[in-house]
Structures are given as C-alpha cells and as structure tokens.
Amino acid sequence: MGEAGSTEFRLPDLGEGLADAEIVRWMVAPGDSVTLNQIICEVETAKALVELPSPVVGVVAKLRVSEGETVTVGTAIITFEGADVPAMVEMPPETPDASIDARTEAPDDEGRSSMLVGYGPGDGDSRTGARKRRHAQRQRAVPVEQPAVSATVAAKPPVRRLAKERGLELSNLTGTGANGVITRADVEAASAPTATSSTPSRDGHDETRVPISGLRKRTAAAMVSSAFTAPHVTEFVTVDVTPTVELVEKLRAHPAFSGRKVTPLLIVSKALLFALERHPELGSRWDEAAQEIVTRREVNLGIAVATPRGLMVPNVKDAAGLTLVELAEALSGLTERARDGKTELSEFSGGTITITNIGGFGIDTGTPIINPGEAGILCVGAIRRQPWEYRDEIALRSVLTLSLSFDHRLVDGFEGSGFLADVARVLADPTELIALG
Amino acid sequence: MAKALNAGLRRSLDDDDRVMLMGEDIGRLGGVFRVTDQLQAEFGADRVVDTPLAESGIIGTAIGLAMRGYRPVCEIQFDGFIYPAFDQIVSQLAKIHTRTEGAVTVPLTIRVPYGGGIGAVEHHSESPEAYFAHTAGLRVVTCSNPDDAFGMIQQAIRSDDPVLFFEPKRRYWDRADVDLDAAPTVGLYDARVVIAGSDLTVVAYGPMVATALAAAKEAASEGTSIEVIDLRSLSPIDFDTIDRSVAKTGRLVVVHEASVFLGIGAEIAARISERCFFQLEAPVLRVGGYATPYPPSKVEQYYLPDVDRVLDAIDRSLAVE
Amino acid sequence: MSIATAQQLDTADTVTLLTEHGGDLREDDLFSPYLADIDDAELCRIYEDLVVVRRIDAEATALQRQGELALWAPLLGQEAAQVGSARGIRPGDFVFGSYREHAVAYLRGVDPTLILRFWRGSTHSGWNPYDINMTTPAIVIGSQMLQAVGYAMGIMRDAKRDDSIHDIAVTYFGDGATSQGGFSEALGFAASSHAPVVFFCQNNQYAISAPVGIQTSVPIVQRASGFGMRGIRVDGNDVLAVLAVTRYAAERARSGDGPTLIEAVTYRMGPHTTSDDPTRYRDADELALWKTRDPIDRLLRTLEYRGLATDEMLAAVDAKADAVAAEVRKGCLETVEPRPESIFDHVYSEPHSLIEEERAEFLDYHRGGAE
C-alpha cells in the first residue's frame, strides 16, 4: 500500500468481466478530506457505471489519472496522505512455522483480470516458486543423468535397467525380440564374459546354425541370470557310500518297493532332505523386490533331467512330507514325464533346491549353477569302485564325489559346509536317517 | 449374496438405532431384489422407509437426516437410476464435510445394485462407479461374494464418511456359507489376494472377480499361474497390494464391466506404471466395456468381459518377452 | 416471448400488516395475535436489526469494490423478509439457507466477519453450522430444500422418543429455485411425510436477469396446494407481517400440522452480485417504484406514527450499525488466510490413503525436498 503516511489506491477488480475501466468523474480533489467508503469517483466499464468507495480515512494527495482516461485493473489511481488504515496489513498465513512457506513468490493477484463470479483469472499461470527451489537442490544433490539410450531403441523398462546396470548401451545391441525389441536375453548375452560377441566362422562352411529353441533360450536366460545375480560358492566332498549301495540293493528286494525304481538318487534325495531340515538356509529364496529372505516350510525338490529337448528341472512337491516309497514313486514319475515331454508346467515352478545327477554320464563332479530362485544345488557324480581306506586297510569301496553350489547372499560357508557334510554323513551310513531322522 | 446383505443390514439396524434404510419399494416389498426383505416388518416404517420415487429426493433428505444424527442407508433401485441424484451426491454429500471444515459429518451409505449380464432392459445394467470414485469426499466400495457382502455392508454403515456401496446384481443369487458371527478380518478399503500366482496379476472387482477366477483356473490348466486380486475398494484404492503382486509377477491385467476409457482400470494402469515401472514385463492391459452405451441385452455378452477376453489379455501380456 | 407479468403474478391474497403510508398496524384475525408480544421496545429492536443488516451489506459491497472480496451477493431490499422470518423461529430450529441470507445468519448469532470469509475466497463455509443451527451458503440453486426436509424427518423421529422436542427445519430459497426439481421433490417428500418444515421463498422478482414470470405462470404460493400443503403469500417488505406469518407456519410445524410454503414478495434492489449489472435488464422506473416500498422506510413510518422515531433512537441505531460495519471491515482486513496444505484437511473424516499420499507429496514439493 505504499510508504508510511501515504497510501495508493489501485483500481480494483470490479467483477464486471473486464480488465480495465474509464475514470468518468472524480468526486474528490487534492486537499479534500475523505471518510471511509466516501465515493471518490465514478468509473465506467463497457458494461456499467460503478462508484468507487474510499478504502481509507485521510486527505487526497494526488489524483493519478485524469477524467476520461481508461486504465487497467491494478493501476494506482489516487494517493492519500495521513491515511488511517489500521488493518491494511499483509497477514502471514496461519501458524507459519508448521506451514509451508507460502510467502516466497506468492501468486501475484494484481495481474488478475476480472470475471463474472470472482477475482478473475491471473495474468498468467501463477507460480509458487517451489519448483525452482527443488531444482536448485537437486542440482546440488545429484548430477543430471544423461539418458541411457536413444529413444528409438525398443526395450521394456526392466531390460533397460538391466542394461544400465551392466553398463551396456542398448543402441549397440541387436534386438532378437519381435520387431527388433531388445530382450533380457540379449542384454544378458551381451554382458556374459564368454559371449560378448558372436563367433562367426572365418569362411562360414564348417559350422551349422540351429535356431535357439524356446527351452534353450529359457535355460540360457535362467543360467545367465543365476550366474550373474547369485554369487556362487562350490564345495566338494568325496565319501565312501558302500552302505548306501548295499541299502539300495536291500530295498530293491523289499516287497514294499517291488515294481518301483530304487536308485542311489533316492537315498541322496533323502539325505538332502535330512540335511535341509538341519540347515533351512539352503531352502531359502532371495526376494530382491521386497528386500526379504523367504523361507518356506514346504520343500519342492528339483531334479535336473536331461531330456531330448534339453535340460529341465521339474520338482517333487512337498518332498519332505513323503515316505521313502512315495518319494521313490515321485522321482521316477518325474523323470519319466520329463523325458516324455509330459511334465506339467506347475511342476516347474516353486522349486526349493535341486539335485543334478551327472554320474550317469560317467562324470565325477562339477560346479553346478543354481536354479534361479533357489539357494543351492547338489551335484551327484558317478559312484566308482575304487581303493579306499576302510577299517585301516586299503579296500575296494563304492566312492562318490558330491559338490554343492550355494548362493553366498543367502548361505554362509559355515552353513553350506554343514549341509554338505550332513548329506555325506547319511550316504556314508544311512543308519543316521533312522537314528536321527 | 442378497441374503447376506439382508443379514448385514439387519445386524446394522440391530447394532445402532440411528441406522435407517430408505428407498423405493424397500419396505413392504422388501426391495426389487429382496435385499431388504422383512426388515420393515421387523424394524418399523420409521426405520425402513418407503420413499417417494425420486432419487435426488432420497439422497437429499438422507443428507438432512444424517445432519440430524441419523445414519441413513439409501437404496438406489438400479445403477442407471442414480443420475437424478448426481448433484446431491457429488456437490452436496461429497463436499459437506470439507465445506464445513470438518464440522459436519455425513455418515450416509448408498447401496447401488450395478452391472450387467442379467438380460435386462435399458438403464438396468450400468457400471457408474468411476463417476463417484472420481469425486473427492466419497468412498466407493464393492463386494464380490456373499461373505464380503455381509461384512462390508456393516463396515460401510459404520463409516463416518459417505460410502457408495456397489452390489453386483448378477451375483445376488450366488450362494456361500456365511459365518454371521465372524467379524470382518479385512479392512473395508483393503484389496484381497484371492488366489496367489506367479506369472501374471489380474485385478478385478465386483461381478468380474468370479470371471477373473474362472480365467485363472483355465490359465492354470494351460500352465500359467495367475494371481487374482479382488480390489474391493475403488476409493481409496489399495495400490500397495497391487504393487506387491506386480513386483512379483511383472504383468498386470485389470478387468471391469465399466467402459475401459477413463475407467478404474485407467487409474490403476497409470499408477502401477509409475510405481512398478522397472518391474513391468509388459504394458498393463485392461479388459472392460467398450466406449458405447450399454447395449441391448441380446448382445450384452459381446460387451461384457468374459473368461475368453480375460484369457486373451493374459495371452497378449505373456507374449511380451 | 410472452411471460407472466407482475400483475398476473400478484393475484393471490397477500398478508400485509404495516400500512403502506404510515398509520398503525392493520388488524388481521389470523396473524395479528402472533404479534401480541411485540411492544414498542421490540419494534425499535427490529428496526435496529433492519438498519444494521443493511449496513453490513453496504460495507461488504464497498469491500468488494476495494478489492477485498471476490464477490458479494447484496441483500439490499430483502431486509424485512430476512429479519422478520429469522425472528420468527427459535435457536433450536435448523435453517437451510441459500446464499443471500446474510441477515438470517447475523440474527442467528454468527460473527459477520465469518460471513465475509466465504465471499473473500478464504473458505467454503464461514461458520460451524451446529453453532448457530444454520447451514453455510448453498450455491447450487435448489440443493438445500431436500436436506431441510430430511432434517425435519429426523426431528419427527427424535420427537417420538422425546416429547420435549419441538424443533423445526426452515429452508430459504428464491423464486428461481422454484423451477428446480429439488423444490418439487422437497415439497412432495415434506407433504407425504408430514415433516415439520417451513419453506420460505424470497421472491425478489429476479433470478439474476430472469424475471419471475420466466419461472412460473402462477403465483409461487399456489404451488403449495398441489402438494396438499398450506401456502401463504406475505408482503416481504413488511417485517411484521413476515414475522407473524413465519411464527404461524413454525407453530403449525411444531404442533404436527406439517409443512407450510411461505412466499415473501420482495425486491432485490441491488444487483444479483457485485459482478452483475441490473440496468441491462430492468427499468429505472421499476426500481423507483420499489424504493417507495423500502422495507426500512415502511417500519420507520409506523415508528414515527407511534412517536418512537426519536433522534436519540435513530442516532443510537446508526451508531450501532457503524460499529458493526467497522468490526466487519476490521475482521475482513485481518483475515488469516488458510494454510496451503489445509486443502487436504477434512476431505474425509477418517484416514484416506490417497489423501495422505498426496498431502505428503505436496508438503515435500513445496518445502523444496528433492524427491
């Protein structure tokens, strides 16, 4: 309202739908004393003649606009002196401490043009200034990120993020998805150390090219994903499993197992379940999204099966709840269905831990890759008759090497070693199953 | 479900003598769907009121009753008849609490039988829920099964805010054992995971929950594991439950009878795209009514989402590798 | 277009007690008894009310012209209709007003500063309705009448349990509102439920620019009979007739005789609002005619006839009016504007996840937090 002692009166919004008005007639002159609400002038908009009442008690110092002049809303039209305007002060908002700072760059009301039912719209869009403050803060806090990829590259958001995490430029990749979309597998293939580039033959004659099947693709994606998200640790143990071999023979002869397939894998499975009960960490799962470690009561035991179509890992549901006979039946059913391509899709989901049996290929041991979403995988090699220390002498015994890969995020060496030792202990003497199981 | 609602209303009338029911034909007749059957005989004509035939009048007078301290439960006979009351609901009911800076609360429940699939004539099959969910000050909920119907209607009546309670009329005759002594275990505004799954999330509400479950069953037989969420509340929406599910499955299909354009599914798609941007393996897909008026009943089956349309959306989502 | 003229709409009997050109009150067998307690002192107090509310109205109009209010809906000319009716009901009764009933709100005890808060754009209400048993402005024309009927239906139910309850509901509306469906529905619901409600129509001759003949081709009071309801037309510029008729209708409602429609015939001497220009749609002659019927002058002539209009009395009334006006101005200029984040308050009475989420985002954004 101007400096102390003098008060300007600006043409207010008169709510007539117009932004300006003509000063038709002054009813006061410089030097006149005015009372509150005394009519000081008549103004005319294109619509109506309106009398303006004085907002103050005081003396007219100056008429700032001549009669007949048209001025816009907000123009100072008169100055008063010695004005008594006791309450004409800007009030802060209620409880300013608790409130947001509404005074910084408050919306400017003076630029409003009048409207039918209110103060009218502002001159432009009002601005609270908050964005500027935030922008400045963000500039200080974090560097501006450059867009990771050009907008023409097609890839869905999780794949874009994966690429970013792997430090890959999507524009450098070739998409194998529909319409050239870059898939997760493309990113994973590009970032796998052994597969950073394809290996075209020098002359193109001594190679065959087979389209990558869906199963192969899924296996590849799963293995890459597992290998690069779960830090693997692999441990080995070699153990005399002669008592297990003998037990298998006895079971084969037992009427309860007549017509059922009994293999060392059955006892290995049972041993694993025995060990898992003591080391539940091996049955847990890393939930990245929820940032939680999930452990389920039910154990769905996965068995890696080589099939004509490729590697499959169906699982036996709630394996820990099965009797030995039931487990035998479940294992043989599982492998048969897998080889016949009749595995139900539900058998592939929800696995807890996996056994991979490479003994059938005559291999002693390996470093298996964990089935994604699980914490460990037990690799079973070939059982060989070989010289072994037995009761302080050299004897021919049935010897087996076991290896266990586990996800070091979930399982420490102490637990992983304990688990593998327990499996070995049972296979060395299945009596443990009865004694402690 | 109609019987479960009847039991819930009876319980509310018993529990609080400020509760009263108002609507067209709800007294002697017991309502055109018999949801208020026998309640006038039990509680009297002052508490179960047959009103004149004017929806705006029903809601307007109910607001006055609420201001006097009553807790009116109004029945709008059919979805398509709610529009005459639109001003009272949207400009009055929804805004009185705000307008009066909290001095006046309007604990009003509006029951709306809604949705199609019943072979009805025009204006008897609509799904107007989005209009009300779009309006600040209103709460909007819908039940999908008899158990929820019994519990949710009581929770809605106990709310001090106005609640639009949408009842899927094609599920009125669904049967289930309802434990009338059980207290509701889920909050009125919480969504519920009906079946857990791992490959894709389907969010549905009201009449479409049963359709979503049927689609999930079919999908399971094809080897796809679907998680089905019954939204239950449309304002507010329990986005946390959807978030958690989509973070797990990476795929989302939203199903409702109402027109897809600017429907509840549009809001869910937008929010989930914001919240789960980096978890989404495919765009959020919506299955619902077309941008047409509700069609004549001889062709309504082509308008309404069915198991096949839901499965088709599931297929389209899963096809995005 | 041919619309009903003022003469055609003036065919119903109209209750008048103040004589047009001075002299004492007219006697009316039915209504005069309702003024038995109005002695000279009370007459002076009524006069004071009329002057004070006109002064508040003038101050608010001036404040709008000075840029302090977004809008104001002047009541000039309708003082008697509002003061007479407001004085005819009890504090326990509940008023469902429209948006021009500043005098009713003032007489029911609201601080007039609070009335202005609404028109300043600082709130959607202004006062707690339960503090004075009156709702805050209802802007959507015709929305409040049904609510009054519902409230009255609630009173009926309460009275069945407690026979000391004799409250009623009163609803105010204008001639324009009688065209809204809500008006007919409200009359229908009230008549069929026999609710204790008084419908008080201030027929001020205009709905913004539309003369009452556009709304109706018969006197508004006749609407009542179609609903089987008592209807009374009263001279709305005659504060005593309005008072008597309102007391009569309120008594009927209190004693179980059901609703009454009162049509108070008055005149909006000012614009619809400060944004309106009535010279575009009505003649100066018409305004001049109604100035001869000014509700304050009408009562003043009777005061003069009775020798009550002494200089001291008139000066005291003016002083009171000036004091109230000064208070209104001071209160308006000292308005504490709402906290920005208060927009999230009271959307719901119980926690609502979306509101909480948006409030947090809003505060974070404006406090300058970077994500």
Side-chain angles (χ1 to χ4, degrees):
Chain A
M1 271 286 167
E3 66 256 34
S6 89
T7 303
E8 280 177 352
F9 180 52
R10 295 170 184 274
L11 179 70
D13 158 41
L14 298 169
E16 300 289 349
L18 295 161
D20 54 22
E22 178 190 337
I23 307 300
V24 177
R25 189 157 63 97
W26 281 110
M27 270 104 136
V28 292
D32 287 358
S33 293
V34 292
T35 58
L36 184 68
N37 290 343
Q38 178 182 334
I39 303 303
I40 52 173
C41 66
E42 273 180 0
V43 302
E44 183 166 32
T45 69
K47 287 171 77 178
L49 207 58
V50 176
E51 294 175 331
L52 291 191
S54 167
V56 298
V57 178
V59 175
V60 177
K62 189 178 180 196
L63 303 181
R64 312 266 297 258
V65 178
S66 321
E67 288 181 358
E69 201 177 324
T70 296
V71 293
T72 55
V73 168
T75 304
I77 57 172
I78 186 170
T79 307
F80 301 98
E81 265 173 1
D84 175 21
V85 277
M88 282 274 193
V89 288
E90 290 287 319
M91 296 299 291
E94 195 180 330
T95 58
D97 288 346
S99 181
I100 60 178
D101 188 355
R103 285 163 297 178
T104 317
E105 288 191 40
D108 180 5
D109 280 348
E110 287 186 0
R112 289 177 189 267
S113 57
S114 52
M115 252 186 105
L116 191 62
V117 292
Y119 295 116
D123 217 2
D125 289 337
S126 69
R127 305 190 65 166
T128 61
R131 187 249 176 193
K132 196 192 280 180
R133 292 194 296 277
R134 287 160 60 84
H135 189 66
Q137 187 169 334
R138 209 177 284 128
Q139 294 280 50
R140 286 193 300 275
V142 275
V144 177
E145 289 179 15
Q146 295 300 322
V149 290
S150 108
T152 55
V153 180
K156 58 191 179 182
V159 173
R160 288 179 185 278
R161 185 166 66 174
L162 183 68
K164 208 169 181 181
E165 285 168 1
R166 305 272 170 93
L168 294 173
E169 283 283 347
L170 283 182
S171 53
N172 294 340
L173 304 188
T174 306
T176 60
N179 299 319
V181 169
I182 296 169
T183 66
R184 188 185 308 278
D186 294 334
V187 172
E188 282 165 347
S191 58
T194 55
T196 43
S197 62
S198 58
T199 49
S201 98
R202 283 176 198 88
D203 54 15
H205 289 297
D206 57 354
E207 65 177 15
T208 54
R209 285 180 164 257
V210 178
I212 298 166
S213 72
L215 181 62
R216 186 76 251 155
K217 215 185 268 181
R218 278 200 290 279
T219 303
M223 290 302 106
V224 170
S225 153
S226 173
F228 288 93
T229 50
H232 283 56
V233 172
T234 308
E235 295 186 342
F236 306 88
V237 63
T238 303
V239 59
D240 174 1
V241 296
T242 311
T244 291
V245 173
E246 289 165 4
L247 175 63
V248 167
E249 290 306 321
K250 281 183 198 161
L251 291 176
R252 280 176 179 157
H254 195 281
F257 288 86
S258 101
R260 295 190 167 89
K261 207 172 163 191
V262 182
T263 65
L265 182 66
L266 175 64
I267 310 303
V268 172
S269 300
K270 202 68 187 169
L272 175 144
L273 293 168
F274 169 88
L276 191 57
E277 210 177 313
R278 280 155 184 73
H279 308 278
E281 302 81 12
L282 271 292
S284 63
R285 180 163 62 80
W286 184 270
D287 187 340
E288 180 68 32
Q291 285 298 299
E292 286 167 349
I293 291 171
V294 186
T295 309
R296 274 189 311 176
R297 225 185 144 68
E298 195 179 85
V299 177
N300 298 330
L301 174 61
I303 304 293
V305 185
T307 74
R309 298 193 295 147
L311 175 69
M312 288 186 176
V313 191
N315 59 60
V316 175
K317 301 292 179 202
D318 197 13
L322 301 181
T323 64
L324 197 62
V325 175
E326 288 165 346
L327 186 60
E329 200 152 81
L331 287 172
S332 53
L334 196 76
T335 46
E336 276 163 29
R337 281 196 298 283
R339 285 179 183 136
D340 296 347
K342 289 179 180 166
T343 306
E344 289 176 24
L345 279 165
S346 63
E347 291 182 274
F348 290 121
S349 62
T352 310
I353 189 166
T354 297
I355 298 176
T356 178
N357 185 2
I358 56 172
F361 311 127
I363 303 301
D364 291 331
T365 191
T367 57
I369 294 176
I370 300 164
N371 203 27
E374 300 178 6
I377 181 166
L378 181 69
C379 177
V380 184
I383 298 175
R384 297 189 188 284
R385 295 287 289 171
Q386 62 184 70
W388 197 257
E389 185 270 347
Y390 180 65
R391 295 183 179 169
D392 295 332
E393 292 181 11
I394 303 289
L396 270 187
R397 302 291 293 175
S398 295
V399 176
L400 166 67
T401 299
L402 297 166
S403 67
L404 173 77
S405 292
F406 55 85
D407 181 343
H408 212 337
R409 293 176 303 175
L410 291 159
V411 180
D412 292 332
F414 174 72
E415 295 142 359
S417 303
F419 175 88
L420 186 58
D422 275 347
V423 174
R425 184 153 64 109
V426 169
L427 295 177
D429 182 6
T431 317
E432 293 284 323
L433 274 179
I434 294 160
L436 301 172
Chain B
M1 181 186 288
K3 283 214 164 81
L5 287 164
N6 182 278
L9 291 169
R10 178 180 288 106
R11 181 67 54 83
S12 295
L13 285 160
D14 259 335
D15 286 351
D16 185 345
D17 61 10
R18 296 170 303 164
V19 172
M20 52 184 292
L21 314 188
M22 305 170 65
E24 298 155 8
D25 310 299
I26 69 161
R28 281 188 76 174
L29 179 65
V32 295
F33 293 104
R34 307 294 180 264
V35 170
T36 54
D37 192 30
Q38 292 301 315
L39 296 178
Q40 189 180 63
E42 286 174 49
F43 295 97
D46 268 354
R47 296 193 62 202
V48 180
V49 185
D50 273 323
T51 65
L53 203 166
E55 287 75 15
S56 173
I58 294 169
I59 305 304
T61 53
I63 291 170
L65 278 155
M67 290 180 68
R68 181 72 191 184
Y70 287 83
R71 302 183 87 86
V73 183
C74 302
E75 176 176 301
I76 298 294
Q77 199 163 70
F78 281 90
D79 37 59
F81 305 163
I82 199 168
Y83 306 111
F86 203 67
D87 174 66
Q88 286 294 341
I89 297 173
V90 168
S91 289
Q92 309 305 323
L93 180 61
K95 296 185 169 71
I96 288 174
H97 190 67
T98 312
R99 181 185 301 154
T100 60
E101 294 172 358
V104 179
T105 55
V106 196
L108 191 64
T109 304
I110 303 177
R111 293 181 37 244
V112 191
Y114 82 122
I118 61 164
V121 296
E122 198 186 5
H123 307 303
H124 289 72
S125 301
E126 302 192 2
S127 296
E129 63 274 14
Y131 294 117
F132 303 102
H134 186 67
T135 301
L138 300 176
R139 293 175 185 266
V140 183
V141 302
T142 178
C143 55
S144 67
N145 60 77
D147 222 27
D148 271 353
F150 175 69
M152 288 171 72
I153 187 66
Q154 295 180 66
Q155 291 172 307
I157 293 170
R158 276 198 296 273
S159 169
D160 280 340
D161 290 319
V163 180
L164 275 285
F165 191 89
F166 282 91
E167 301 170 3
K169 56 175 130 48
R170 73 156 113 167
R171 310 292 179 202
Y172 267 148
W173 316 116
D174 285 4
R175 292 175 173 281
D177 288 330
V178 175
D179 182 357
L180 299 186
D181 296 321
T185 52
V186 184
L188 182 57
Y189 311 111
D190 295 337
R192 176 160 50 209
V193 177
V194 188
I195 53 167
S198 54
D199 296 335
L200 183 146
T201 303
V202 174
V203 168
Y205 58 83
M208 283 293 108
V209 173
T211 306
L213 288 171
K217 196 172 171 192
E218 189 72 24
S221 75
E222 297 169 4
T224 305
S225 165
I226 305 291
E227 180 147 310
V228 176
I229 294 177
D230 180 356
L231 203 53
R232 298 171 84 252
S233 173
L234 311 182
S235 173
I237 291 176
D238 177 4
F239 288 108
D240 290 346
T241 294
I242 306 174
D243 271 10
R244 273 197 297 275
S245 179
V246 175
K248 182 174 72 174
T249 64
R251 298 173 200 269
L252 175 62
V253 172
V254 188
V255 188
H256 50 58
E257 282 191 18
S259 164
V260 159
F261 184 69
L262 294 178
I264 300 291
E267 178 62 26
I268 293 176
R271 293 258 169 189
I272 295 304
S273 297
E274 276 179 41
R275 291 177 167 220
C276 301
F277 191 65
F278 289 110
Q279 279 87 45
L280 280 174
E281 297 291 351
V284 178
L285 298 181
R286 291 167 291 159
V287 183
Y290 298 102
T292 67
Y294 195 87
S297 57
K298 289 293 185 191
V299 289
E300 69 180 337
Q301 72 268 30
Y302 297 101
Y303 176 91
L304 290 170
D306 62 4
V307 170
D308 280 334
R309 280 180 60 198
V310 176
L311 285 170
D312 176 66
I314 291 171
D315 289 345
R316 283 185 284 132
S317 177
L318 291 170
V320 181
E321 287 190 32
Chain C
M1 180 169 53
S2 162
I3 62 163
T5 63
Q7 287 73 27
Q8 285 168 329
L9 295 178
D10 202 20
T11 51
D13 289 341
T14 303
V15 180
T16 306
L17 298 178
L18 287 173
T19 49
E20 286 265 345
H21 306 290
D24 214 344
L25 300 184
R26 220 173 252 136
E27 273 303 313
D28 183 290
D29 289 345
L30 180 57
F31 295 110
S32 291
Y34 287 94
L35 301 179
D37 62 326
I38 307 296
D39 56 16
D40 288 350
E42 190 68 2
L43 269 189
C44 291
R45 281 192 287 272
I46 294 172
Y47 176 78
E48 180 186 288
D49 284 349
L50 293 173
V51 172
V52 167
V53 299
R54 178 169 291 187
R55 188 73 179 77
I56 293 171
D57 187 63
E59 196 67 23
T61 301
L63 284 164
Q64 198 281 334
R65 295 285 182 241
Q66 291 156 2
E68 294 296 334
L69 300 182
L71 188 73
W72 179 251
L75 60 71
L76 187 68
Q78 298 176 224
E79 295 87 351
Q82 295 191 17
V83 170
S85 56
R87 281 178 153 269
I89 57 175
R90 299 177 184 168
D93 300 335
F94 206 102
V95 174
F96 289 78
S98 179
Y99 51 80
R100 205 188 297 278
E101 283 74 45
H102 317 306
V104 180
Y106 172 68
L107 291 182
R108 290 188 77 74
V110 73
D111 174 351
T113 301
L114 297 181
I115 301 176
L116 266 58
R117 277 179 63 80
F118 175 89
W119 301 95
R120 187 177 168 87
S122 303
T123 177
H124 286 322
S125 55
W127 62 85
N128 178 337
Y130 292 121
D131 285 349
I132 61 164
N133 281 348
M134 177 172 174
T135 55
T136 53
I139 297 296
V140 178
I141 300 296
S143 60
Q144 74 278 23
M145 299 176 259
L146 279 162
Q147 295 162 12
V149 175
Y151 190 91
M153 288 163 65
I155 295 171
M156 287 175 83
R157 282 161 175 74
D158 292 346
K160 283 186 184 173
R161 275 177 276 194
D162 178 353
D163 59 14
S164 72
I165 292 176
H166 295 289
D167 300 334
I168 63 168
V170 181
T171 180
Y172 286 85
F173 50 96
D175 40 298
T178 64
S179 293
Q180 289 281 7
F183 172 67
S184 294
E185 290 186 30
L187 262 56
F189 273 68
S192 102
S193 67
H194 226 57
V197 57
V198 174
F199 292 92
F200 193 91
C201 176
Q202 294 176 80
N203 173 2
N204 69 9
Q205 312 300 326
Y206 287 92
I208 304 189
S209 69
V212 65
I214 282 184
Q215 316 295 343
T216 180
S217 54
V218 298
I220 288 167
V221 68
Q222 285 185 19
R223 301 292 181 88
S225 64
F227 290 92
M229 186 188 294
R230 182 86 162 92
I232 305 168
R233 195 169 206 249
V234 62
D235 179 345
N237 285 9
D238 176 344
V239 68
L240 296 179
V242 173
L243 173 61
V245 165
T246 306
R247 284 178 165 181
Y248 166 79
E251 184 182 275
R252 289 189 76 236
R254 271 184 237 292
S255 53
D257 290 338
T260 303
L261 169 64
I262 297 172
E263 178 192 2
V265 181
T266 181
Y267 191 77
R268 193 193 75 208
M269 293 171 78
H272 161 66
T273 66
T274 46
S275 295
D276 180 36
D277 177 7
T279 62
R280 290 173 68 89
Y281 53 81
R282 68 186 186 192
D283 295 336
D285 292 353
E286 185 184 284
L287 181 60
L289 172 68
W290 279 93
K291 276 188 173 162
T292 66
R293 303 170 183 166
D294 185 299
I296 296 182
D297 292 347
R298 293 273 300 279
L299 182 60
L300 182 60
R301 285 196 283 272
T302 296
L303 295 180
E304 285 165 348
Y305 174 82
R306 290 196 185 179
L308 301 171
T310 62
D311 288 347
E312 297 78 46
M313 191 281 276
L314 296 177
V317 166
D318 281 346
K320 167 80 186 278
D322 285 346
V324 172
E327 197 65 26
V328 166
R329 169 169 294 268
K330 182 166 184 289
C332 178
L333 299 179
E334 287 178 349
T335 301
V336 176
E337 303 302 354
R339 292 169 292 116
E341 68 270 32
S342 71
I343 62 174
F344 296 101
D345 297 346
H346 310 304
V347 182
Y348 296 91
S349 65
E350 295 168 357
H352 187 283
S353 52
L354 181 61
I355 295 291
E356 301 316 320
E357 184 184 321
E358 289 190 350
R359 188 206 313 266
E361 284 171 9
F362 179 92
L363 288 173
D364 181 62
Y365 173 76
H366 286 283
R367 283 176 176 152
E371 252 110 70

